[in-house]
Amino acid sequence: MKIYKVKNYDEMSKKAASVIAAQIVTKPDCVLGLATGSTPIGTYECLVEKYRNGELDFSEVKTANLDEYKGLTKDNDQSYYYFMNHHLFSHVNIDMAQTNIPDGTAQDAAAECARYEDVIRSLGGVDLQVLGLGHDGHIGFNEPDDHFAAETHCVDLTEMTIEANKRFFASADDVPRQAFTMGIGTIMRARRIVFLVSGSDKAEILKKSLYGPVTPAVPASILQFHPDVVVIADEAAMAGC
Ligand code: GLP
């Protein structure tokens, strides 16, 4: 693991955007694994700025998002499809046909998970995966469990996640109870992982993830076994490390 401790959220975002930009420049048709949540918003802003300055070309870039809420339509402003369009895709010259997100409206969950895993495989796997960190240690929507899930699957969200994510919804009751997410195996097959963490509320779980025992009870701890992880975390998040 390469760990970069940066001053604050802005520095984290700039550094993350530089790492992603380097990936796009060195492999213009790369496959980016993308994340949602508040953590990568600044990173996407920096990437949009680089595109506007003429530093980046997304025309050949392909993407696969980590996860999607089950039951939300693409035009729901809380869907991750909407999020990606709003924060990145609609501002750059990406070919929307080359962007992939699990279909939250799929009725047959097992079929949708198998389809999504096939999509990633047919892209040749993910070159660079962006990850945030949930307060309970989740990555994507891989919640604490007694095993690591190998592939894309449908999960029941924990109370802690529902509580954390309700800020984006009218009320906790509106937060979907399930989601589709890449599995831990899917994530671990990415050739490179950029793990972004910001804020004192993540300090305890970040310490457990980076230095605690590797256990499915702290899903992010598996990253200790990945050969190419770039951790970019701010001082507040690194406070316990
Ligand atoms: C969400 C997402 C994750 C994200 C995490 C942290 O539930 N599924 O991919 O990393 O929670 O979110 P935030 O960045 O808002 O703290």
Side-chain angles (χ1 to χ4, degrees), residues 35-40 66-67 80 132-135 138 140-141 161 165 167-168 202:
T36 53
S38 46
T39 306
L66 278 169
D67 47 14
Y80 288 164
L133 177 64
H135 291 96
H138 72 237
F141 266 132
T161 299
N165 291 2
R167 66 191 195 274
F168 301 113
K202 301 278 178 75

Side-chain angles (χ1 to χ4, degrees), residues 25 29 84 138:
V25 170
D29 61 346
M84 289 312 303
H138 72 237

Side-chain angles (χ1 to χ4, degrees), residues 57-236:
D57 175 14
F58 285 80
S59 61
E60 292 178 65
V61 171
K62 295 164 236 170
T63 66
N65 262 75
L66 278 169
D67 47 14
E68 177 61 283
Y69 286 115
K70 186 163 185 283
L72 297 193
T73 55
K74 290 178 176 177
D75 59 352
N76 185 306
D77 62 4
Q78 292 311 324
S79 75
Y80 288 164
Y81 183 93
Y82 188 98
F83 176 105
M84 289 312 303
N85 272 327
H86 183 72
H87 291 290
L88 183 65
F89 297 158
S90 64
H91 306 291
V92 298
N93 65 334
I94 200 161
D95 175 358
M96 284 303 289
Q98 301 284 8
T99 66
N100 299 281
I101 302 181
D103 178 2
T105 63
Q107 293 302 312
D108 184 340
E112 176 55 14
C113 294
R115 180 198 71 82
Y116 198 65
E117 201 63 36
D118 275 351
V119 165
I120 295 169
R121 226 171 273 132
S122 68
L123 290 173
V126 171
D127 290 300
L128 184 153
Q129 177 68 56
V130 179
L131 283 186
L133 177 64
H135 291 96
D136 56 5
H138 72 237
I139 47 177
F141 266 132
N142 289 276
E143 299 281 26
D145 208 336
D146 57 6
H147 68 286
F148 291 113
E151 303 211 314
T152 302
H153 58 295
C154 182
V155 288
D156 294 330
L157 302 181
T158 61
E159 276 311 313
M160 190 189 269
T161 299
I162 291 165
E163 197 51 33
N165 291 2
K166 75 174 187 196
R167 66 191 195 274
F168 301 113
F169 293 82
S171 76
D173 288 344
D174 295 314
V175 184
R177 265 41 190 174
Q178 288 186 310
F180 294 119
T181 181
M182 282 186 194
I184 292 290
T186 326
I187 293 169
M188 289 294 278
R189 281 189 287 279
R191 287 179 269 279
R192 171 170 253 205
I193 290 175
V194 179
F195 186 35
L196 307 179
V197 193
S198 169
S200 56
D201 54 319
K202 301 278 178 75
E204 203 182 321
I205 193 66
L206 179 61
K207 185 181 179 187
K208 283 188 188 164
S209 305
L210 299 184
Y211 301 112
V214 173
T215 162
V218 182
S221 64
I222 192 76
L223 298 175
Q224 295 177 38
F225 288 159
H226 192 281
D228 188 1
V229 179
V230 179
V231 181
I232 309 176
D234 63 16
E235 285 174 3

Side-chain angles (χ1 to χ4, degrees), residues 2-17:
K2 195 171 262 175
I3 301 177
Y4 292 104
K5 181 172 167 179
V6 295
K7 206 163 182 45
N8 52 32
Y9 181 86
D10 282 352
E11 294 301 314
M12 178 196 73
S13 304
K14 280 185 201 148
K15 196 155 195 75

